[in-house]
Amino acid sequence: MPMDQAIDSYFKTFSVPPEVVAFVSRPIGHFIDGRETAVAGAELDLVEPFTRRRLTGLVNGTAADADRAVRAARGALEGPWGRMPALERQRLILRLADTLEADAEFLAHLEAIDVGKSISDARAIDVPGAVANFRYFAGWSSKLDGRTAGAVALPGETLTYTVKEPVGVVAAIVPWNFPLQTLAWKLAAALACGCTVVCKPSELTPLSAMRLAQLASEVGFPDGVINVVNGLGHVIGQALAAHPGVDKLSFTGSTPVGKAVGKTALDTMKRLTLELGGKSPVIVTDRADLGRAAEAILAGIFLNSGQVCDAGSRVYVQDGVHDALVERLRAGAEALTLGPGLDPAARITPLISGAHRDRVLDHIASAHSEGAKLVTGEPGTGTRRDDGILRPTIFDECAETMRVFREEIFGPVLGISAFTTLDEAVARANSGDFGLAAAVYSGDVDETIRLSRRLRAGNVYINAHGLIDPAMPFGGLGASGFGKDMGPEQLDGFLSTKSIYVQVGTA
Ligand code: NAD
């Protein structure tokens, strides 16, 4: 099928390399057992977020496809991958990291085209973040030792020790906002631990997962170690969650879907990690450096047009600096460049879909009707643009009773509220169901440490927002889920510990 004219002219404007055009315009199938499957049967539309036109077709996978992928993963686990020495596994993961790095431009284009996100961000964050994660976890492959324990109550002479074994076949279900990076967060540690993986990308953003699987195969990963099954979440994701051949489910996505998937996974007693949504609070005290705070707060909410799980979406600012901070945030938001993802200058890009844009607009309308005060941005009605870009929007005088201050919006919308005492700020920041992240801005070191300890969140940023490092565990509390991605803490999620007892006979 010829490429849609609007997409063709968009790609030409930004000189998309021909090999990328070829990759994104062919029908997308699955990647199972070392090869991409031909697309047969019904196809889903893959829509480019800026033009809102059909880019290509995506296979509408079935439970049988998921089953084939799980069997391939099991075969690899019991075959070449399971027998591979740890150092060889480490070498392959490092090779994959190098290959992804060499492919950075290609991958950054895929993310910009698929998600509609800023290509500058994809170059600076998504791809290097994925590469760093593989590099970090590669080293763990050869350091997964058990321990020799001295038995403390057994009679006679014994030798007691533990060994760490891969948990088995992992299903990695990921969302659309950082498709490559969130997949790398699961894949790198799972591979390091010796597991095999069935990846389920979002049906909105399958491209980078397919590219990664292809590259992994080229660098020598045995068939079946990394599989990608495409299709609808409630079909493929559900099939993987229910599949008795899947040993561990690592899910990143929304809280309602995470809860449902988790319940299904427990029916077959899978190990489970749930990285879910957030409504992260930000506290700015009278002692903050306002220039620094405003810059980080703007990046913390408007990166990826607000489609970020740990976006700092509710700001609590102390009375003494309230007006000055609001003014800085207003000016900063109004200076952000709007444009399509492939434009390197664009900071605010289209939302993932028309349906999502309408959901965000509904939140904005509710903020207006519930009495929040618009500082800048979308007036609420009659503002739909065809390209799905929403202006960065800030409301002041928000309260926890308002949806804008309570619910995850996942768009470029920031709520602000003034506070008087730090106790009040902490109580209000800790209200609500989520517990993914929080941020504190203050020039007083003691104050920042004290506040960081009192905040109910899995990640706390001080005078910054959204810092991510492969050596640091990432994950939430409460409605934001449980378990960790990244850091040594993640390894336990992909390993089983076996205790071995040896009774030593008498001479
Ligand atoms: P989503 O829950 O709709 O979908 C996530 C994944 O689950 C997709 O692959 C989807 O196809 C699949 N899925 C959908 N329905 C399913 C079902 N019934 N059974 C099994 N799988 C199903 O989330 P989304 O809209 O893709 O992503 C946005 C959400 O992800 C936000 O809530 C955001 O906060 C969250 N997120 C969290 C983190 C984190 O690390 N905590 C990171 C990124 C995104």
Side-chain angles (χ1 to χ4, degrees):
M1 197 186 277
M3 177 168 278
D4 176 274
Q5 264 192 349
I7 295 184
D8 188 43
S9 111
Y10 174 41
F11 284 3
K12 285 197 170 116
T13 305
F14 293 101
S15 309
V16 175
E19 59 278 16
V20 173
V21 176
F23 189 91
V24 303
S25 44
R26 86 226 142 90
I28 309 293
H30 308 296
F31 194 98
I32 298 176
D33 211 9
R35 60 202 60 86
E36 186 162 348
T37 60
V39 178
E43 286 185 19
L44 303 169
D45 287 343
L46 196 58
V47 175
E48 191 288 312
F50 177 60
T51 57
R52 303 270 176 234
R53 301 295 182 85
R54 181 183 188 276
L55 182 62
T56 187
L58 174 71
V59 65
N60 190 3
T62 63
D65 297 321
D67 181 59
R68 273 195 309 125
V70 172
R71 285 173 196 277
R74 178 66 57 191
L77 186 72
E78 290 171 0
W81 186 248
R83 290 192 295 268
M84 190 178 282
L87 274 181
E88 180 63 11
R89 220 163 60 223
Q90 175 169 325
R91 198 175 62 83
L92 274 178
I93 300 172
L94 284 173
R95 238 203 244 165
L96 177 60
D98 289 347
T99 306
L100 292 173
E101 192 168 56
D103 202 50
E105 263 309 284
F106 196 109
L107 288 163
H109 275 88
L110 293 189
E111 294 302 66
I113 291 167
D114 220 5
V115 186
K117 69 166 53 193
S118 145
I119 192 161
S120 301
D121 289 344
R123 285 175 177 141
I125 300 171
D126 300 58
V127 182
V131 169
N133 214 54
F134 281 108
R135 288 222 168 100
Y136 172 78
F137 277 104
W140 276 111
S141 309
S142 52
K143 293 153 196 81
L144 302 170
D145 300 328
R147 68 190 172 94
T148 307
V152 295
L154 289 173
E157 193 179 343
T158 56
L159 169 64
T160 47
Y161 62 97
T162 64
V163 290
K164 302 275 185 184
E165 297 175 342
V167 81
V169 173
V170 172
I173 303 181
V174 294
W176 48 259
N177 59 336
F178 288 84
L180 178 66
Q181 214 181 350
T182 47
L183 188 57
W185 285 5
K186 303 187 182 306
L187 209 41
L191 295 173
C193 291
C195 298
T196 55
V197 187
V198 179
C199 311
K200 156 69 183 88
S202 165
E203 54 271 37
L204 304 178
T205 56
L207 296 176
S208 54
M210 291 299 281
R211 179 71 174 171
L212 186 150
Q214 185 188 64
L215 294 175
S217 186
E218 283 171 22
V219 302
F221 277 83
D223 294 350
V225 174
I226 301 173
N227 307 276
V228 180
V229 189
N230 282 310
L232 297 171
H234 68 269
V235 178
I236 305 298
Q238 170 65 23
L240 292 172
H243 201 298
V246 171
D247 302 295
K248 153 95 189 189
L249 180 69
S250 183
F251 174 91
T252 297
S254 62
T255 298
V257 175
K259 273 187 191 169
V261 165
K263 284 180 190 159
T264 304
L266 276 182
D267 282 344
T268 43
M269 286 299 184
K270 292 183 189 4
R271 301 274 291 275
L272 191 56
T273 298
L274 296 175
E275 296 281 2
L276 309 178
K279 184 75 190 171
S280 301
V282 173
I283 296 178
V284 184
T285 80
D286 283 342
R287 297 169 179 197
D289 172 336
L290 290 192
R292 235 177 118 181
E295 194 180 326
I297 291 169
L298 288 165
I301 181 63
F302 295 129
L303 174 72
N304 208 20
S305 301
Q307 301 168 122
V308 181
C309 55
D310 69 352
S313 51
R314 26 179 199 135
V315 169
Y316 297 94
V317 51
Q318 205 158 12
D319 295 325
V321 292
H322 169 269
D323 293 356
L325 181 75
V326 171
E327 177 48 28
R328 281 176 189 265
L329 292 175
R330 183 198 61 72
E334 289 176 0
L336 293 170
T337 308
L338 277 52
L342 287 172
D343 180 352
R347 306 309 310 153
I348 299 289
T349 53
L351 298 186
I352 183 74
S353 67
H356 186 53
R357 185 260 326 267
D358 290 346
R359 273 195 298 275
V360 176
L361 277 174
D362 182 58
H363 277 283
I364 291 174
S366 85
H368 283 286
S369 69
E370 289 183 325
K373 179 181 158 199
L374 184 68
V375 175
T376 185
E378 298 289 340
T381 50
T383 58
R384 282 173 56 142
R385 291 165 46 132
D386 283 345
D387 57 16
I389 299 176
L390 291 184
R391 277 178 280 172
T393 298
I394 301 180
F395 289 98
D396 195 7
E397 299 178 18
C398 296
E400 287 72 21
T401 50
M402 298 176 186
R403 281 178 59 203
V404 66
F405 230 38
R406 209 176 54 234
E407 296 177 11
E408 182 177 50
I409 299 177
F410 226 55
V413 183
L414 177 67
I416 304 176
S417 180
F419 72 86
T420 302
T421 67
L422 295 180
D423 284 346
E424 175 200 347
V426 169
R428 295 179 65 195
N430 285 344
S431 68
D433 301 330
F434 295 109
L436 188 56
V440 173
Y441 295 89
S442 169
D444 178 335
V445 174
D446 297 333
E447 190 170 75
T448 60
I449 304 285
R450 276 198 303 269
L451 285 171
S452 71
R453 295 213 171 135
R454 296 177 68 191
L455 287 167
R456 198 177 61 89
N459 313 279
V460 179
Y461 307 115
I462 295 177
N463 293 324
H465 204 99
L467 302 179
I468 300 277
D469 190 275
M472 289 289 284
F474 183 90
L477 305 168
S480 297
F482 51 79
K484 297 289 182 187
D485 277 347
M486 296 183 291
E489 290 79 357
Q490 189 185 8
L491 298 166
D492 267 348
F494 293 118
L495 292 169
S496 305
T497 303
K498 183 180 280 176
S499 298
I500 303 196
Y501 294 78
V502 182
Q503 184 78 61
V504 180
T506 49

